[in-house]
Amino acid sequence: MDRCLVCDEGMKQALTWRSLLKQAEARAICARCEGKLNRITGETCTMCSRELGGVHITGDLCLDCSRWERNKEWSGYLSKNISLFHYNEYLKDIIAKYKYRGDYALAEVFVPFLKERLKDMEFDLVTVIPLSHERLTERGFNQVQALADLLGIHTVEILTRIHTEKQSKKSRQERMSLPQVFQVMQLDLLEHKSILIIDDIYTTGTTLRHAAKALITAGAKEVSSITLAR
């Protein structure tokens, strides 16, 4: 019997004609734990996937994205971000175990959900948000690259990252005013290409917009992103 990677309880998989004929992909998380993942649904910001229920909006953008797009320095770089789940306390704990405590196997929990959304997205090249050399040494692995590897997606290493203080320690305003932290490699691969960036969490959007700006400035046609949490 397979065990849930989150709670370690045994999981029974019901045999159906669909599972037998289509060999449906086995989940690495039980139904009870999956139920605690709060999917983003309903009307969302067309740029960042934020749910708009009760949130002030400008047109079809949330207030945050509207502010970004009114800023000439940042307007037009990130085309769209797709996020799968709300960053609630339950998901925060799972990601912390995976990202900071090295529970590498937890990446498998998210693979079916990412595959489901990626099948409808169009792109020429895929890259991941890189870690600085110092942060990679500290963690031992890039948690986003591990997701891409399990997805079976070929990624291109086209960004390098300058080491900075952890984003989680910075205020929103400090994040938005950070200097560029990414540098672009392999410029010849980017020209007129649509790039998809994979990352784990969309917070203020600063990291993804820095990466998108670096890529567009270097010649990419369009940059979109997908993240686990928002």
Side-chain angles (χ1 to χ4, degrees):
M1 180 185 294
D2 292 332
R3 291 190 171 276
C4 173
L5 289 178
V6 178
C7 70
D8 201 38
E9 289 293 317
M11 297 188 296
K12 293 181 180 179
Q13 186 174 4
L15 286 179
T16 65
W17 282 111
R18 182 178 177 184
S19 65
L20 288 171
L21 295 174
K22 293 192 175 183
Q23 297 182 331
E25 185 171 14
R27 299 267 179 169
I29 185 172
C30 68
R32 186 178 65 176
C33 288
E34 184 177 333
K36 297 177 185 178
L37 296 173
N38 189 1
R39 290 206 191 209
I40 295 174
T41 58
E43 187 181 4
T44 59
C45 171
T46 56
M47 181 165 285
C48 75
S49 288
R50 183 178 187 176
E51 278 191 15
L52 295 179
V55 178
H56 178 69
I57 62 172
T58 304
D60 53 2
L61 299 181
C62 68
L63 184 57
D64 284 348
C65 287
S66 180
R67 286 172 178 163
W68 280 110
E69 291 305 299
R70 287 200 304 266
N71 186 329
K72 291 182 180 179
E73 185 179 347
W74 294 104
S75 177
Y77 291 112
L78 182 66
S79 296
K80 184 177 181 65
N81 171 72
I82 299 288
S83 294
L84 306 184
F85 304 105
H86 291 282
Y87 195 40
N88 59 15
E89 289 301 317
Y90 182 72
L91 181 55
K92 190 178 294 186
D93 185 54
I94 294 176
I95 290 179
K97 288 176 180 175
Y98 170 54
K99 186 173 177 177
Y100 302 117
R101 292 172 231 163
D103 195 344
Y104 189 94
L106 284 172
E108 295 181 30
V109 168
F110 304 111
V111 168
F113 303 106
L114 286 166
K115 280 186 175 179
E116 183 184 327
R117 292 307 299 268
L118 283 167
K119 68 183 181 184
D120 298 321
M121 300 180 73
E122 295 182 3
F123 43 82
D124 299 316
L125 295 174
V126 183
T127 193
V128 304
I129 291 294
L131 298 178
S132 66
H133 175 73
E134 291 85 349
R135 196 74 70 220
L136 184 59
T137 300
E138 175 186 311
R139 289 188 195 161
F141 74 110
N142 181 330
Q143 75 281 356
V144 187
Q145 185 63 58
L147 282 171
D149 291 344
L150 281 175
L151 284 164
I153 294 178
H154 173 69
T155 59
V156 181
E157 190 177 347
I158 47 181
L159 291 170
T160 58
R161 186 172 192 156
I162 301 165
H163 185 65
T164 58
E165 184 182 8
K166 290 182 179 179
Q167 290 267 28
S168 58
K169 295 183 178 181
K170 296 183 183 296
S171 69
R172 173 186 170 79
Q173 190 55 46
E174 286 173 332
R175 292 186 191 195
M176 293 185 74
S177 57
L178 282 172
Q180 178 58 271
V181 295
F182 295 106
Q183 295 177 335
V184 179
M185 308 179 291
Q186 305 191 69
L187 297 178
D188 56 314
L189 294 179
L190 290 178
E191 193 170 358
H192 306 307
K193 295 292 196 302
S194 295
I195 312 296
L196 175 69
I197 303 173
I198 302 177
D199 200 8
D200 52 1
I201 305 165
Y202 182 111
T203 309
T204 64
T206 305
T207 299
L208 287 166
R209 281 183 170 83
H210 271 262
K213 185 175 184 178
L215 293 168
I216 293 289
T217 303
K221 178 179 69 175
E222 184 181 45
V223 178
S224 58
S225 60
I226 186 167
T227 69
L228 297 176
R230 169 79 175 87

